[in-house]
Amino acid sequence: MSDLCNVTVTVNGNRYERDVEPRLLLSDFLRHELGLLGTHVGCEHGVCGACTVLFDGEPVRSCLMFAVQAQGHEITTVEGLGTMEALHPLQEAFWEAHALQCGFCTPGFLTTLVPFLEEHPDPDDDEIREAISGNLCRCTGYQHIVDAVKLAAEKMRA
Amino acid sequence: MKPPPFEYYAPTTLDEALALMAEHGYDAKALAGGQSLIPMMNFRLAQPEILVDLNNIADLSYIRPSDDGGVLIGAMTRHKTVGHSPLIAERAPLLHETMPNIATEQIRNRGTFGGSLAHADPSAELVAVSVALDARLRICSQEGERWVPAKEFFVSLFTTILEPEELVVEIAVPPMPERSGWSLKEVARRPHDFALTGVVAVLTLDDENHCQQVKLVYLSAGDGPVEGIQAAASLQGQPLTAENIQAAAEIAASEDVDPSSDIHATAEYRRHLAKVLTRQTLEEAYERAISNTQ
Ligand SMILES: Cc1cc2nc3c(=O)[nH]c(=O)nc-3n(C[C@H](O)[C@H](O)[C@H](O)COP(=O)(O)OP(=O)(O)OC[C@H]3O[C@@H](n4cnc5c(N)ncnc54)[C@H](O)[C@@H]3O)c2cc1C
Ligand code: FES
Ligand code: FES
């Protein structure tokens, strides 16, 4: 085992400090060290998108970063988007438009789409499909996800 | 899978990084965007003992105009930044057009220009485009620096002329000559996947609108960026008629490219793609060159 490194990060607005092995992936740090199990791990090579989190506000693959690289940065996981009492409009829309079945892929879609909707308040189908091209869903066939994004955009414009 | 253990350094200056590379040489690897290196470590295809993380060296991330009318790009500039840069759009339109083809947004938010070249994947768009544009790389070690043309930088599959203690620090992209047009086309199973085959064409016309010079560079067509030398020679000094373009496309597919078969496509299919895409890129590059002469 290599020496432990100290890392301090802000996740969903809370500051955490831990001593970790440099090889610990950010995805495993979030899940195993912080107990934030919303970030899912599918492929660990950047293809599936399930592990997507916001790193200083931008969607990135948490399986393709080391936890030590998050030193001093801000991370938002799916847990930080809304609360059980007050879901994010996108989460509500996913629910209402049946945009998930097993839900494994959902955290990655949500974290990818929240910044997208901020930049594209009224996206068309092509823009939405482009935005979700880095996230795989094995259940829904994507159509309901596209519908949910449109519904969310409507809610957020209202 | 999980990466093997390593020692981690996060220098904040280039000098510190070069000192670490000089000290650890063969055992160390630079960590740029990590979008190729970390997957390889997760699969344990790469097992560096030491990682020198370049992400905290702010001075390596920039896009600046160069005196010759081109641009200078710091090695740690992320794909996203290059894709959104107005200076790149103005001075290196081919690069601007290339960026959305590289992976998906989440990967482009981390992946870097220097990392993509240093990784030397023959399927990487920037590898082919940097050869087509005659880009040059500034390479540093503690001993000093050298400038290397992209064409000489790539040796083979995932192999470059970089010495273990050297880092890529900057890429210079010259302006395109006047009366030039360009095109990049690729075929992938899904948008943003690595291309099964792709072609970059940069074409310059003479006063009679004949081909003064053309560069064709292929992705996923061999062990490195493959230049369409025979095809280009066949067009030299010729008018860009449909017949000449078709003939060049056939030469490219039969003589220039050397694709292999894998689970994604057969070599034969890739040759077919090379032919069709060569024709299409030459047509588009010609149209653009003509409109740039008006
Ligand atoms: C799912 C997925 C899809 C992708 N699709 C595409 C695609 O379609 N097209 C494409 O072109 N790429 C694609 N990529 C790769 C992506 O563009 C990478 O970002 C890029 O190839 C490597 O850049 P990096 O900054 O991430 O480098 P890293 O992964 O950090 O490093 C790659 C290699 O280069 C070395 N290195 C990095 N920087 C330097 C430097 N400055 N000096 C010396 N050595 C250095 C490292 O030591 C390592 O060996 C994809 C990646 C993923 C995960
Ligand atoms: S687990 Fe990170 S992209 Fe699949
Ligand atoms: S809902 Fe099951 S993978 Fe998307």
Side-chain angles (χ1 to χ4, degrees):
Chain A
M1 196 167 121
S2 50
D3 291 345
L4 297 184
C5 289
N6 184 268
V7 54
T8 305
V9 285
T10 305
V11 182
N12 304 329
N14 302 316
R15 209 161 153 273
Y16 297 91
E17 190 180 343
R18 293 285 190 280
D19 291 320
V20 300
E21 266 193 277
R23 67 175 179 143
L24 184 68
L25 296 172
L26 179 58
S27 44
D28 290 336
F29 175 79
L30 294 168
R31 292 177 58 82
H32 302 159
E33 290 286 329
L34 306 189
L36 295 169
L37 300 178
T39 300
H40 290 171
V41 173
C43 67
E44 289 186 335
H45 62 284
V47 174
C48 75
C51 69
T52 305
V53 300
L54 300 180
F55 186 78
D56 295 334
E58 294 188 330
V60 302
R61 304 295 202 219
S62 61
C63 73
L64 298 187
M65 285 190 68
F66 297 111
V68 286
Q69 296 188 280
Q71 171 63 36
H73 291 274
E74 285 199 22
I75 288 163
T76 307
T77 67
V78 69
E79 288 92 342
L81 298 181
T83 61
M84 291 303 257
E85 296 71 40
L87 292 176
H88 188 283
L90 180 64
Q91 290 173 312
E92 277 176 20
F94 261 59
W95 186 355
E96 288 163 22
H98 307 289
L100 61 150
Q101 290 177 28
C102 77
F104 189 83
C105 67
T106 313
F109 275 92
L110 295 172
T111 45
T112 299
L113 286 165
V114 163
F116 169 77
L117 281 168
E118 279 159 18
E119 279 172 37
H120 301 82
D122 189 13
D124 63 28
D125 272 36
D126 285 348
E127 287 170 326
I128 296 170
R129 286 181 185 276
E130 171 72 26
I132 62 173
S133 63
N135 295 77
L136 293 179
C137 174
R138 298 284 81 158
C139 302
T140 62
Y142 304 100
Q143 189 53 51
H144 290 321
I145 297 180
V146 174
D147 294 343
V149 180
K150 285 197 205 148
L151 180 60
E154 255 172 60
K155 284 174 187 275
M156 289 166 72
R157 285 198 308 271
Chain B
M1 280 184 45
K2 308 299 173 192
F6 55 86
E7 252 178 80
Y8 174 77
Y9 295 95
T12 53
T13 65
L14 178 60
D15 283 346
E16 273 175 78
L18 292 174
L20 286 161
M21 296 305 287
E23 189 185 342
H24 299 291
Y26 279 95
D27 301 328
K29 266 196 175 293
L31 173 61
Q35 304 300 290
S36 296
L37 181 55
I38 300 181
M40 289 178 73
M41 290 176 67
N42 286 351
F43 283 124
R44 303 212 171 184
L45 295 170
Q47 310 210 4
E49 282 173 28
I50 289 156
L51 280 191
V52 178
D53 188 349
L54 306 181
N55 285 279
N56 297 319
I57 308 178
D59 290 353
L60 286 181
S61 177
Y62 56 84
I63 300 170
R64 294 185 193 129
S66 56
D67 295 341
D68 64 358
V71 286
L72 296 171
I73 303 171
M76 284 301 291
T77 311
R78 311 226 184 251
H79 297 328
K80 175 189 183 166
T81 313
V82 176
H84 286 76
S85 158
L87 188 68
I88 296 278
E90 185 199 323
R91 293 191 168 201
L94 168 56
L95 256 188
H96 175 74
E97 214 171 272
T98 299
M99 301 318 286
N101 290 291
I102 303 175
T104 60
E105 190 201 358
Q106 298 98 334
I107 312 281
R108 292 196 296 268
N109 282 338
R110 295 293 298 167
T112 68
F113 206 106
S116 193
L117 298 191
H119 189 55
D121 184 334
S123 307
E125 284 84 357
L126 292 181
V127 169
V129 167
S130 64
V131 172
L133 288 176
D134 285 325
R136 292 181 313 134
L137 292 86
R138 185 152 68 91
I139 294 170
C140 288
S141 72
Q142 251 187 338
E143 306 301 310
E145 67 168 48
R146 54 178 177 148
W147 281 95
V148 178
K151 196 178 154 143
E152 289 164 27
F153 179 74
F154 302 106
V155 176
S156 176
L157 203 60
F158 305 122
T159 310
T160 70
I161 57 144
L162 276 182
E163 297 293 337
E165 69 279 8
E166 285 181 321
L167 293 175
V168 177
V169 298
E170 182 177 69
I171 298 91
V173 181
M176 256 186 244
E178 279 179 27
R179 307 177 69 86
S180 292
W182 70 91
S183 176
L184 162 76
K185 291 195 189 288
E186 58 179 56
V187 172
R189 288 264 174 229
R190 295 172 308 167
H192 309 301
D193 274 359
F194 279 111
L196 296 177
T197 300
V199 190
V200 186
V202 178
L203 170 70
T204 307
L205 300 177
D206 63 18
D207 294 343
E208 292 169 70
N209 288 343
H210 292 183
C211 171
Q212 180 176 318
Q213 201 205 341
V214 63
K215 267 209 185 178
L216 292 162
V217 189
Y218 295 81
L219 295 69
S220 310
D223 284 348
V226 173
E227 283 199 67
I229 293 170
Q230 306 289 345
S234 78
L235 288 169
Q236 188 82 37
Q238 303 298 314
L240 279 299
T241 59
E243 296 74 40
N244 286 345
I245 287 178
Q246 181 63 28
E250 277 167 27
I251 292 172
S254 58
E255 292 175 34
D256 286 322
V257 298
D258 183 20
S260 46
S261 297
D262 60 23
I263 53 166
H264 303 295
T266 60
E268 192 191 353
Y269 181 56
R270 287 178 205 261
R271 272 188 204 280
H272 168 72
L273 292 178
K275 180 166 73 187
V276 176
L277 294 174
T278 303
R279 178 169 54 71
Q280 292 178 352
T281 49
L282 284 171
E283 285 167 358
E284 184 172 56
Y286 182 53
E287 271 169 39
R288 283 176 164 163
I290 289 284
S291 65
N292 285 343
T293 60
Q294 280 151 12

